Amino acid sequence: MITNEEIIGQALDRISAGYVFPEKAVVIDTAIRGRLAAGAYEGLDGPALCEAVTADLQEACPDKHLRLLWTDEPQSLVPQDEDGGEAAFLASMRAENQGVQRVERLEGNIGLIELNRIATAPEGASVIGAAMQLVALSSALVLDLRGCLGGSPEGAAMWCSYFFPDDQVHLTDIYDRTTDTTRQFWTTAHLPAPRYADRPVYVLTSEITFSGGEDVAYTLQAHGRAVVVGATTRGGAHPTARHAVAEHILVTVPQARAVNTVTGTNWEGVGVVPDVPVPAAQALDTALKAALRRLEAQPESGAATG
């Protein structure tokens, strides 16, 4: 049976090899090995071990993506089976309708889309397109990300693409330490539903909005394409890979960082700060009232068809 020392050692090796800031990985390694030597994890197993190590990881380096995770589903420990958690993520997205939880038409011809995850672009495109098709004739749109816990950078770029007129907008860049490369993310040229580039958009956030959800909110806000309403988000801007270090334990290693093309930075550690700060529970009502006022002030701005 694998020991706690072996589990933690493997996790630290993964962090040292892949964490986006190598100098911080050294600090993390020293801190956790010191805790291990002091007997901090003796007698712990399963979720309790993961919780204790995660707390110490984030004390050494306050990156909310840096975690030891317990999973009920057994994980393969064969190196060639490793995919950074992609297969598990894709399966969860299929089970959750690619993150789209609700689509409605509200009073005043205002569309509402609620997301709990950001799907990958290839697998999520048809569902994302179906949601956007349903709101295509609305006069304003509310994108509810209050319960959105993360997802795919490519999917975030696809969602954002709907709110710009073409494929000429450079949204963000992501630097990946493991490959020492920077990938540019631009608006998508071809979308399966009409663009929503000419009408008001409101994005709702909460204290639990995280990662990919923050990406959409931050990008649309930075490019002046949406008004963010709600609470400041959690602050996790580092794309992350997952590695099995035991049959039921994963280490999540933030191996990349986002750089917004407008701000030159990202939301790591600070969150997305709303344009209209209100308690998350009041965000929808606040956004709807703002949208109705805006539409009433522009009576000629009807819904577009494409």
Side-chain angles (χ1 to χ4, degrees), residues 214-285:
E214 293 178 287
D215 187 348
V216 174
Y218 188 91
T219 301
L220 293 178
Q221 181 189 57
H223 284 269
R225 189 56 195 91
V227 176
V228 177
V229 181
T232 300
T233 61
R234 285 174 63 191
H238 295 154
T240 301
R242 297 185 175 196
H243 306 283
V245 293
E247 191 176 29
H248 291 280
I249 296 178
L250 304 167
V251 61
T252 64
V253 182
Q255 62 186 32
R257 57 186 170 89
V259 181
N260 183 270
T261 56
V262 175
T263 67
T265 184
N266 58 45
W267 58 95
E268 178 64 32
V270 296
V272 180
V273 179
D275 300 298
V276 183
V278 295
Q282 300 175 20
L284 177 57
D285 186 55

Side-chain angles (χ1 to χ4, degrees), residues 51-298:
E51 183 177 346
V53 174
T54 296
D56 290 340
L57 285 170
Q58 295 188 4
E59 181 178 349
C61 179
D63 185 325
K64 293 182 176 67
H65 276 113
L66 194 61
R67 294 170 289 179
L68 211 61
L69 294 178
W70 175 264
T71 172
D72 292 330
E73 186 72 22
Q75 305 295 305
S76 172
L77 299 177
V78 180
Q80 54 264 39
D81 290 343
E82 185 171 306
D83 66 355
E86 182 178 1
F89 176 72
L90 293 176
S92 69
M93 287 296 90
R94 295 179 197 122
E96 297 181 31
N97 195 41
Q98 303 297 343
V100 177
Q101 298 302 292
R102 178 167 59 137
V103 183
E104 289 187 31
R105 178 184 177 277
L106 303 178
E107 178 186 357
N109 195 32
I110 297 172
L112 171 68
I113 299 176
E114 179 184 347
L115 304 179
N116 69 352
R117 293 278 184 176
I118 304 297
T120 64
E123 288 226 353
S126 61
V127 175
I128 294 169
M132 290 303 299
Q133 186 70 61
L134 288 172
V135 300
L137 299 179
S138 61
S139 300
L141 178 64
V142 175
L143 190 61
D144 189 349
L145 303 179
R146 289 177 293 178
C148 189
L149 301 179
S152 161
E154 294 85 356
M158 172 165 277
W159 272 109
C160 290
S161 295
Y162 278 97
F163 306 108
F164 296 93
D166 51 38
D167 60 351
Q168 300 301 304
V169 181
H170 186 184
L171 299 171
T172 191
D173 294 332
I174 292 182
Y175 169 76
D176 190 310
R177 178 197 165 188
T178 60
T179 59
D180 193 27
T181 59
T182 298
R183 178 179 176 183
Q184 296 183 346
F185 288 83
W186 292 69
T187 46
T188 302
H190 302 289
L191 297 168
R195 294 181 186 271
Y196 203 94
D198 55 348
R199 282 153 284 166
V201 178
Y202 296 83
V203 174
L204 310 186
T205 59
S206 77
E207 297 89 346
I208 67 170
T209 307
F210 192 53
S211 192
E214 293 178 287
D215 187 348
V216 174
Y218 188 91
T219 301
L220 293 178
Q221 181 189 57
H223 284 269
R225 189 56 195 91
V227 176
V228 177
V229 181
T232 300
T233 61
R234 285 174 63 191
H238 295 154
T240 301
R242 297 185 175 196
H243 306 283
V245 293
E247 191 176 29
H248 291 280
I249 296 178
L250 304 167
V251 61
T252 64
V253 182
Q255 62 186 32
R257 57 186 170 89
V259 181
N260 183 270
T261 56
V262 175
T263 67
T265 184
N266 58 45
W267 58 95
E268 178 64 32
V270 296
V272 180
V273 179
D275 300 298
V276 183
V278 295
Q282 300 175 20
L284 177 57
D285 186 55
T286 301
L288 291 176
K289 289 178 179 177
L292 288 170
R293 286 195 301 268
R294 185 168 173 179
L295 293 173
E296 288 170 0
Q298 300 174 352

